[in-house]
Amino acid sequence: MTAAVRIGNCSGFYGDRHAAMHEMLTGGDLDYLTGDYLAELTMLILGRDRMKHPERGYAKTFLTQLEQCLGLARDQGVRIVANAGGLNPAGLADAVRELADRLGIPARVAHVEGDDLLPHVEALGLGAAGPATSGGSSPLTANAYLGGWGIAECLAGGADVVITGRVTDASLTVGPAAAHFGWNRTDYDRLAGAVVAGHVTECGIQASGGNYAFFTEVPTEQLLYPGFPLAEIHADGSSVITKHPGTGGLVSVDTVTAQLLYEVGGARYANPDVTARIDSIELASDGPDRVRITGVTGEPPPPTYKVSLNSIGGFRNSTTFVLTGLHIEAKAELVRTQLEAALRVRPAELEWTLARTDHPDADTEETASALLHCVVRDPDPANVGRKFSAAGVELALASYPGFCVTAPPGDGQVYGVFTPGYVDATAVPHVAVHADGTRVDIASASETLELAPAEDPALPEPLPAGPTRRAPLGLIAGARSGDKGGSANVGVWVRTAEQWRWLAHTLTPAKLRELLPETAELPVSRHLLPKLRAVNFVIEGILGQGVAYQARFDPQAKGLGEWLRSRHLEIPEQLLSERAP
């Protein structure tokens, strides 16, 4: 049997642990090391960076990591693949070459380009982006999500370092695996297996104990400094998720399940090279800190590429009033009325949120207090600047008893909005640029399949009636949630067959709306994943116009799953007494 290829991860976002690249290169054997630096919000940040410095637009920390690690990687024969190129992969590739020359380390640096569609948004029908209040605006960034074949071409050409712009996160793994094993474009099951392995490792430590719902079951010392994950991928597309020996954290069926449910939709997980069937995945323990992934099936990719568009939406400001003690609702109503009356120009958007963090008969002032948030947005910075924030502070001696705000007056800040788009895959240039400057066009998939919802699987037999106890869902269920543009997903899983019988029948969209009233008026879809004993919900519009819009206090919906786990409902007594296998 052909030996597995070992593909590690050293970054889950721009700002992740700086030492991780060095730790992964010195902690054990690897063939490839990947780094995911991009997210929808990151593209906006890099877009603003490019406005000020046209020669930049990439993740600068990648260069400082390489300064310490490029020699290590070359000595060990580890090839590095990272999407740190952001909006300027050619510029970062040049900077890496300059670094290699300065360090005296021979390195062949290639890059992938073509994802940047900003010059072509009108021709491609992507149009303007932005909120209705500002009438829309030209996008600041517009990037298609490319697949892994450009990476594979660069590696086949002998590259030691491959820099990309906006590829799908899983493509960072698909490219090396496809190059290593010589897969074909229609090896869908193999490619889907690599997509799944890449999806598990793309967010770094989230696969090895980070943000883990059942963290209380793990010794604290094990979570002090978790190791980053790696995937051992076999020629048939199956894989084992693990981490370097002796590192902290935990790789288990649960931690892998949690990451599989992160930021996905239904049973079909579309990528530019293949559509992976999430409902086909089978997980099994393969020893301590080892989880085997098998059974993954794939289908042709869709005929379109997703495009991430970011634009400047306008200006945003906020004030938070602290309301302490009695008559919280009346105090909130008074200051709302006063502030709105004091504003000479009403901002285009003005939102109030009262967070009842107060407790009756509290033994500290903080726990006796509630927080009243006022958020304003407007295309004109003057309408949300000092005139707004000063108006709130000027009420200090004229409003409710105990008046207090959490911050002094400040100017409004630019905010962004995210708009998804889709373009015909054949209209997107995908180019592998080899170390010697040779350019190779990467064709889009010759076989595609319109993405359609998978058929709902049959429900398991319901549990027979029996005694129940009102308790938090999280006593038996794990969850992970995250942002998907203006929407969010919440994946919920359980650990025994009996718990799954109950979950599948109980946690319906109607029950979710009951448990999370914030979702009551929003479209909610549910997707059953029996092999993972999981249900996944997609809640449309809960994040407004994306993370940077900050429609709610948890703008990336990272805590949505934990809120759901904290909610109480009637749970059968027999399930509460079950222990996980």
Side-chain angles (χ1 to χ4, degrees):
M1 183 176 180
T2 304
V5 60
R6 290 168 62 87
I7 304 174
N9 170 279
C10 68
S11 176
F13 67 100
Y14 190 11
D16 209 344
R17 186 193 300 170
H18 194 273
M21 183 181 290
H22 187 268
E23 292 166 2
M24 290 300 287
L25 288 170
T26 57
D29 293 336
L30 288 176
D31 297 298
Y32 298 90
L33 182 58
T34 67
D36 179 12
Y37 293 79
L38 302 183
E40 292 164 359
L41 179 61
T42 312
M43 300 304 281
L44 176 68
I45 293 169
L46 294 177
R48 295 189 65 191
D49 184 41
R50 185 172 64 175
M51 287 177 65
K52 300 174 186 176
H53 306 282
E55 75 283 3
R56 292 217 297 251
Y58 53 74
K60 298 184 289 292
T61 53
F62 177 74
L63 277 176
T64 59
Q65 289 174 302
L66 270 191
E67 185 158 10
Q68 183 185 21
C69 296
L70 183 59
L72 270 174
R74 295 292 296 116
D75 290 344
Q76 297 174 15
V78 178
R79 303 163 83 179
I80 294 174
V81 180
N83 61 13
L87 301 175
N88 188 8
L92 180 55
D94 286 340
V96 173
R97 292 186 191 101
E98 292 171 6
L99 174 66
D101 289 343
R102 176 165 59 83
L103 297 175
I105 299 171
R108 292 161 294 185
V109 183
H111 73 275
V112 176
E113 61 184 41
D115 62 294
D116 192 349
L117 302 182
L118 191 61
H120 314 295
V121 288
E122 292 189 11
L124 292 171
L126 295 170
T133 54
S134 64
S137 61
S138 298
L140 181 64
T141 69
N143 295 81
Y145 287 77
L146 302 180
W149 290 107
I151 297 170
E153 170 65 28
C154 291
L155 293 170
D160 302 305
V161 179
V162 180
I163 305 297
T164 80
R166 180 70 279 187
V167 298
T168 69
D169 300 343
S171 294
L172 298 171
T173 297
V174 173
H180 185 84
F181 292 116
W183 290 339
N184 295 316
R185 298 287 295 260
T186 56
D187 286 334
Y188 295 130
D189 290 351
R190 296 180 176 91
L191 292 168
V195 164
V196 169
H199 178 56
V200 172
T201 60
E202 70 192 33
C203 287
I205 292 172
Q206 279 199 163
S208 50
N211 302 345
Y212 175 44
F214 298 116
F215 74 97
T216 56
E217 299 175 4
V218 185
T220 300
E221 58 270 19
Q222 208 169 321
L223 296 176
L224 291 179
Y225 203 82
F228 277 67
L230 64 95
E232 299 173 354
I233 302 179
H234 294 271
D236 64 356
S238 64
S239 63
V240 171
I241 306 300
T242 185
K243 59 188 182 69
H244 283 326
T247 57
L250 171 71
V251 176
S252 69
V253 169
D254 279 326
T255 67
V256 172
T257 299
Q259 182 56 28
L260 283 171
L261 296 173
Y262 185 61
E263 296 180 345
V264 296
R268 286 189 164 102
Y269 186 53
N271 268 250
D273 305 317
V274 64
T275 298
R277 293 295 299 250
I278 301 295
D279 55 353
S280 67
I281 299 170
E282 297 180 20
L283 303 179
S285 176
D286 193 54
D289 290 315
R290 292 178 62 84
V291 173
R292 185 170 294 279
I293 301 177
T294 57
V296 183
T297 60
E299 300 168 337
T304 57
Y305 285 169
K306 181 181 177 180
V307 181
S308 167
L309 298 106
N310 285 285
S311 64
I312 300 299
F315 295 83
R316 178 187 184 277
N317 206 344
S318 64
T319 294
T320 297
F321 300 91
V322 181
L323 314 175
T324 305
L326 305 177
H327 310 303
I328 296 295
E329 299 284 349
K331 289 172 179 175
E333 180 60 27
L334 173 60
V335 75
R336 275 198 298 257
T337 303
Q338 289 178 313
L339 180 60
E340 292 189 23
L343 295 175
R344 296 180 181 178
V345 178
R346 185 182 179 91
E349 299 180 39
L350 191 151
E351 301 171 358
W352 294 93
T353 305
L354 177 60
R356 292 302 301 264
T357 52
D358 55 304
H359 300 265
D361 193 23
D363 58 1
T364 68
E365 184 176 337
E366 187 172 5
T367 55
S369 300
L371 300 174
L372 177 65
H373 307 286
C374 181
V375 177
V376 291
R377 300 182 187 88
D378 199 277
D380 186 345
N383 293 341
V384 296
R386 292 298 179 105
K387 292 179 181 177
F388 161 74
S389 55
V393 172
E394 287 171 2
L395 296 173
L397 304 181
S399 190
Y400 60 87
F403 182 99
C404 178
V405 293
T406 59
D411 295 325
Q413 302 295 318
V414 170
Y415 74 91
V417 297
F418 170 82
T419 306
Y422 294 88
V423 297
D424 192 303
T426 61
V428 178
H430 186 177
V431 182
V433 184
H434 289 287
D436 63 0
T438 303
R439 301 173 64 86
V440 178
D441 291 329
I442 307 299
S444 57
S446 59
E447 181 183 14
T448 61
L449 184 67
E450 289 285 351
L451 196 64
E455 293 183 7
D456 289 333
L459 285 169
E461 285 293 318
L463 282 181
T468 64
R469 174 158 59 91
R470 190 164 180 80
L473 175 63
L475 290 185
I476 65 168
R480 180 159 288 169
S481 57
D483 55 294
K484 294 178 64 66
S487 302
N489 91 295
V490 184
V492 183
W493 82 95
V494 289
R495 300 191 279 187
T496 71
E498 296 298 280
Q499 290 172 350
W500 166 242
R501 291 172 64 187
W502 173 81
L503 183 76
H505 286 274
T506 302
L507 200 56
T508 62
K511 176 59 73 172
L512 183 85
R513 291 189 176 98
E514 177 188 326
L515 296 173
L516 305 184
E518 189 179 348
T519 70
E521 304 301 322
L522 298 174
V524 176
S525 59
R526 184 180 85 149
H527 309 277
L528 293 176
L529 301 169
K531 290 187 177 181
L532 298 178
R533 296 186 182 127
V535 295
N536 187 49
F537 294 93
V538 177
I539 305 164
E540 296 181 26
I542 192 171
L543 303 183
Q545 291 176 293
V547 173
Y549 185 72
Q550 294 191 336
R552 59 196 303 271
F553 87 102
D554 174 20
Q556 292 180 285
K558 303 303 185 187
L560 201 58
E562 287 302 295
W563 178 25
L564 179 61
R565 293 182 70 234
S566 74
R567 297 292 289 170
H568 290 228
L569 68 169
E570 294 295 328
I571 301 176
E573 288 277 5
Q574 71 176 87
L575 302 185
L576 293 170
S577 62
E578 282 185 0
R579 298 185 63 84

